[in-house]
């Protein structure tokens, strides 16, 4: 095997030491699907936008997501046995922004939702949704990784997925 100069070789001209800013800069280049995680809190429904949603296992069906321990939704996510997971479509940029914005009235108009199984808030008009039973919450720096088992869901929404890339919500292009 022969190495080809400059073909796929990482540039090492200005490497940076590990820092929160470096991590954010690198992951702005990583396109990710957009989900909203919901739960029923003591004062009403809570939720947040997540790009850390991952399918973990098919048998049993498990997903994971990260949530900051300083997030307003964390106390409910820390206590509740069930959460909602919603896959957003391109038509839901404003909804994604609302659930990402600190201090926003996330469940007020124009957000359309209903109480679903296990009391979980279920958002309307999403590409797909799941209700999941929380299995564990794993400490990970200033976040927790939540591992949850799928109880039921609906994959039948219409449309194309919403993506997060370079600090903005974007549609999928072919």
């Amino acid at each position: 095997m022969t190495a080809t100069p400059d073909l796929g070789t990482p540039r090492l001209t200005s490497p940076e030491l590990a820092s929160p800013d470096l991590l954010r800069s690198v992951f702005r280049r990583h396109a990710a699907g957009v989900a909203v995680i919901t739960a029923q809190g003591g004062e009403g429904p809570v939720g947040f936008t997540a790009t850390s949603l991952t399918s973990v296992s098919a048998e049993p069906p498990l997903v994971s997501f990260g949530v900051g321990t300083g997030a307003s939704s964390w106390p409910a996510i820390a206590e509740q046995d069930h959460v909602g997971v919603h896959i957003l479509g391109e038509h839901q940029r404003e909804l994604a922004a609302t659930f990402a914005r600190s201090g926003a009235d996330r469940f007020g108009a124009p957000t359309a939702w209903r109480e679903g199984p296990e009391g979980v808030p279920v958002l309307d008009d999403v590409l797909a949704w799941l209700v999941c039973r929380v299995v564990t919450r794993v400490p990970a720096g200033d976040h927790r990784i939540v591992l949850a088992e799928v109880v039921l869901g609906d994959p039948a929404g219409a449309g194309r997925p919403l993506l997060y890339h370079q600090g903005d919500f974007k549609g999928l292009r072919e």
Side-chain angles (χ1 to χ4, degrees):
M1 181 176 243
T2 305
T4 305
D6 298 328
L7 184 61
T9 304
R11 294 182 315 239
L12 298 176
T13 55
S14 58
E16 298 177 30
L17 292 175
S19 71
D21 286 340
L22 173 63
L23 188 66
R24 286 184 197 103
S25 293
V26 168
F27 273 87
R28 278 188 195 103
R29 295 179 173 274
H30 173 72
V34 180
V36 168
I37 309 299
T38 61
Q40 188 56 251
E43 303 295 317
V46 300
F48 64 96
T49 301
T51 57
S52 61
L53 180 65
T54 303
S55 169
V56 174
S57 168
E59 270 306 315
L62 296 171
V63 299
S64 70
F65 59 88
V67 56
T69 56
S72 61
S73 298
W74 170 241
I77 302 293
E79 296 295 323
Q80 291 300 317
D81 292 332
H82 291 85
V83 296
V85 175
H86 308 82
I87 307 302
L88 300 191
E90 289 178 328
H91 63 287
Q92 295 177 304
R93 290 178 183 168
E94 279 304 312
L95 182 68
T98 297
F99 275 84
R101 194 175 310 117
S102 181
D105 181 5
R106 296 173 178 151
F107 289 90
T111 301
W113 65 282
R114 64 193 179 287
E115 184 176 312
E118 303 295 339
V120 171
V122 175
L123 301 175
D124 291 345
D125 199 29
V126 295
L127 296 186
W129 60 267
L130 300 168
V131 170
C132 302
R133 181 184 59 80
V134 175
V135 174
T136 192
R137 299 163 185 91
V138 180
D142 61 355
H143 279 60
R144 295 296 181 269
I145 305 301
V146 178
L147 186 65
E149 183 173 8
V150 176
V151 175
L152 57 92
D154 182 355
R160 294 162 56 103
L162 183 63
L163 300 178
Y164 187 74
H165 182 251
Q166 293 288 26
D168 197 12
F169 299 110
K170 302 181 186 273
L172 181 66
R173 291 186 297 179
E174 291 185 25

